[in-house]
Amino acid sequence: MAAEPLTAPTDEPAFNRFLDAARIAVAAEQAGGADFALAMAVGYAKERVQFGRAIGSFQAVKHLCADAFVDVESARSAAYYGAWALAQDSPEVATVAPLAKAFCSETFFATAQTNMQVHGGISFTYEHPAHLYYRRAKSGAQLWGSPRAHRDLLATRIGL
């Protein structure tokens, strides 16, 4: 059976719509990855004992996790809004997609870094999965363009 094209090869709006859908899908994956990396960090901070108490009770670790939590919740909202706009066929998709992709990329990478900091040296070994999230965050940030490229695209689309 021969393949049938869904649109003309020169249909730029359809191609841009596909790219925006892909950006939103990657943003959703990154928000989920950031959420899991944060859960790993918090779980480890609760169980790891140093100087007779859980490391999660130390102010520096609390601040790392609290800052990551705020970013992860914001990334989740950006990804949800992008998915909603795409499902509603909203004209806002053109601005929401690059915004969500840039923000979720940076959040996943920062949260993966936080996870590795909380875990310490064990996170760099192949026996521990923390480094896998770090690498996934870094590679996903470049997928369909870097966060900077997406901010530039957003600026272009809103006329700046």
Side-chain angles (χ1 to χ4, degrees), residues 62-118:
K62 285 181 187 178
H63 285 197
L64 279 173
C65 292
D67 290 344
F69 176 77
V70 170
D71 290 343
V72 168
E73 288 301 311
S74 298
R76 184 189 328 268
S77 294
Y80 280 166
Y81 187 72
W84 174 85
L86 191 62
Q88 298 298 315
D89 201 24
S90 171
E92 291 182 348
V93 169
T95 56
V96 172
L99 182 140
K101 172 64 172 74
F103 187 77
C104 291
S105 292
E106 290 171 342
T107 298
F108 188 17
F109 186 67
T111 306
Q113 284 180 313
T114 296
N115 184 31
M116 290 186 72
Q117 275 188 295
V118 170

Side-chain angles (χ1 to χ4, degrees), residues 1 5 19 47 58 67 77 85 89 100 113 139 143 148:
M1 177 176 210
L19 288 177
E47 72 181 33
F58 297 123
D67 290 344
S77 294
D89 201 24
Q113 284 180 313
S139 64
L143 192 60
R148 182 180 184 137

